[in-house]
Amino acid sequence: MATPAAITVAITGSIPTKADNPAVPVTPEEQVVSAVEAIDAGATIVHVHVRDDQQRPSSDVDRYRTVYDGIKRERPDAIVQLSTGGRGRSPDERFSCLEVRPEMASLSTGSVNFATSVYENPPQLVEQQAARMLDLDIKPEIEIFDFAMLYSCVELLKRGLLAPPPHVQLVMGIKNTLPPKESILDFFLSELRELIPDATWTCAATGRFQLEANRWALRRGGHVRTGLEDNIYYEKGRLAQSNAELVARLADLCAEYDRYPASPAETRQLLHLNQTTESATTY
Ligand code: MG
């Protein structure tokens, strides 16, 4: 029997600009339009970064709120996940978007080198922000850019700083982090199943490996992510026309693996959103 796969669309990110692909949505208005199209094509989770007027990464709470409210106004059922990601902004700024009280937000549980910078997440910051998300009933998506982050996630669970079961995302392909390899996903899953057996997971990869990683995850029962944040091409030599175009292809791909795009209600149930859950597992 086919099983549901939650499709996340990462609409903008910190890096691509309109010079790279004119379809990258950068103003709040463009972001809402792009998110709605992607939702209508099959995405249930919209991962949002905001930009300033020069297309640089921003943490402006008002912008976050405008995009959040705009998406929820057009598609009330959609799950909006705000990014607390870095790229040169201070931790206070990065986490200010939690004030918007999104249903989900990203949380990386460790530090890592990116292409030209350190993505800095010291232990105190991670603990403090995990506790804050718990307080505000915001479901973190634990971002795993390196394996230590998985073990740190287990520690947070043991200390009651994450509500079980967590949702984790393995991200591969960012320069200086884990390369996009199927064997790495398999090692990640073997550790995840041993340490946090009831965790839900998504696998994401960048560039030309985005679609490959979608296949790897669908085959293994995981959830999937696409979007212009991670990849601006539809195929070699041809830019994607929109986030929706990437989502539509992924939604179609699900059937090849006996999966289908999860509805918002199914996604909430699968990822234990807005539910007080008692985990049977002792971490
Ligand atoms: Mg992101």
Side-chain angles (χ1 to χ4, degrees), residues 10 12-14 47-49 81-85 87 106 141 143 145 169 225 229-230:
T12 303
S14 292
H47 175 80
V48 178
H49 292 241
Q81 179 189 91
L82 300 185
S83 173
T84 62
R87 313 283 178 180
S106 59
E141 177 174 83
E143 307 297 344
F145 294 98
Q169 175 167 259
R225 163 163 146 163
E229 168 168 351
D230 302 335

Side-chain angles (χ1 to χ4, degrees), residues 107-123:
L107 177 67
S108 191
T109 46
S111 305
V112 69
N113 279 355
F114 280 164
T116 58
S117 61
V118 183
Y119 184 29
E120 226 178 311
N121 293 291

Side-chain angles (χ1 to χ4, degrees), residues 23-67:
V24 175
V26 295
T27 68
E29 295 72 23
E30 289 171 347
Q31 290 185 293
V32 172
V33 169
S34 187
V36 167
E37 290 171 357
I39 291 162
D40 292 347
T44 52
I45 301 173
V46 184
H47 175 80
V48 178
H49 292 241
V50 293
R51 301 287 185 91
D52 66 14
D53 290 337
Q54 282 74 47
Q55 301 190 55
R56 293 174 303 204
S58 164
S59 296
D60 187 276
V61 181
D62 291 334
R63 286 201 182 226
Y64 265 121
R65 192 170 280 120
T66 302
V67 178

Side-chain angles (χ1 to χ4, degrees), residues 216-231:
W216 301 340
L218 288 172
R219 187 180 297 132
R220 290 164 175 77
H223 303 291
V224 285
R225 163 163 146 163
T226 190
L228 296 167
E229 168 168 351
D230 302 335
N231 165 42

Side-chain angles (χ1 to χ4, degrees), residues 31 53 137 152 160 179 185 188 236 246 263 270 282:
Q31 290 185 293
D53 290 337
D137 201 18
S152 301
L185 173 60
F188 166 77
K236 190 173 163 61
L246 294 170
S263 69
L270 288 164
T282 308

Side-chain angles (χ1 to χ4, degrees), residues 21-275:
N21 182 337
V24 175
V26 295
T27 68
E29 295 72 23
E30 289 171 347
Q31 290 185 293
V32 172
V33 169
S34 187
V36 167
E37 290 171 357
I39 291 162
D40 292 347
T44 52
I45 301 173
V46 184
H47 175 80
V48 178
H49 292 241
V50 293
R51 301 287 185 91
D52 66 14
D53 290 337
Q54 282 74 47
Q55 301 190 55
R56 293 174 303 204
S58 164
S59 296
D60 187 276
V61 181
D62 291 334
R63 286 201 182 226
Y64 265 121
R65 192 170 280 120
T66 302
V67 178
Y68 183 85
D69 290 348
I71 296 170
K72 295 298 277 185
R73 188 171 53 240
E74 297 294 326
R75 295 293 180 272
D77 263 3
I79 297 157
V80 181
Q81 179 189 91
L82 300 185
S83 173
T84 62
R87 313 283 178 180
R89 294 168 289 138
S90 76
D92 279 353
E93 281 179 292
R94 281 172 39 204
F95 285 93
S96 60
C97 63
L98 300 184
E99 289 169 32
V100 177
R101 304 286 295 268
E103 199 166 353
M104 294 184 80
S106 59
L107 177 67
S108 191
T109 46
S111 305
V112 69
N113 279 355
F114 280 164
T116 58
S117 61
V118 183
Y119 184 29
E120 226 178 311
N121 293 291
Q124 300 84 342
L125 175 73
V126 174
E127 290 161 20
Q128 187 185 40
Q129 297 304 330
R132 193 168 155 215
M133 288 192 201
L134 198 57
D135 259 7
L136 296 174
D137 201 18
I138 298 168
K139 173 90 175 190
E141 177 174 83
I142 304 296
E143 307 297 344
I144 310 286
F145 294 98
D146 212 341
F147 278 114
M149 298 177 188
L150 175 60
Y151 307 105
S152 301
C153 172
V154 175
E155 282 305 307
L156 293 174
L157 272 170
K158 283 183 180 164
R159 294 176 51 199
L161 291 167
L162 293 176
H167 180 69
V168 300
Q169 175 167 259
L170 177 67
V171 184
M172 297 186 288
I174 295 176
K175 191 172 188 305
N176 294 328
T177 71
L178 296 170
K181 292 174 72 175
E182 201 167 9
S183 57
I184 286 180
L185 173 60
D186 281 328
F187 177 71
F188 166 77
L189 289 178
S190 70
E191 289 296 279
L192 187 68
R193 284 169 185 147
E194 180 185 325
L195 297 167
I196 323 176
D198 52 358
T200 50
W201 62 275
T202 297
C203 175
T206 56
R208 68 192 173 89
F209 285 97
Q210 180 176 68
L211 187 60
E212 272 303 289
N214 292 157
R215 291 179 176 278
W216 301 340
L218 288 172
R219 187 180 297 132
R220 290 164 175 77
H223 303 291
V224 285
R225 163 163 146 163
T226 190
L228 296 167
E229 168 168 351
D230 302 335
N231 165 42
I232 57 171
Y233 289 95
Y234 186 79
E235 59 195 11
K236 190 173 163 61
R238 204 273 261 172
L239 293 171
Q241 288 168 358
S242 63
N243 279 298
E245 189 182 35
L246 294 170
V247 171
R249 175 172 60 184
L250 179 52
D252 285 344
L253 186 67
C254 288
E256 269 185 48
Y257 299 91
D258 209 17
R259 311 290 302 277
Y260 65 91
S263 69
E266 285 171 320
T267 302
R268 287 192 172 86
Q269 190 176 26
L270 288 164
L271 270 51
H272 307 275
L273 299 181
N274 295 333
Q275 292 171 16

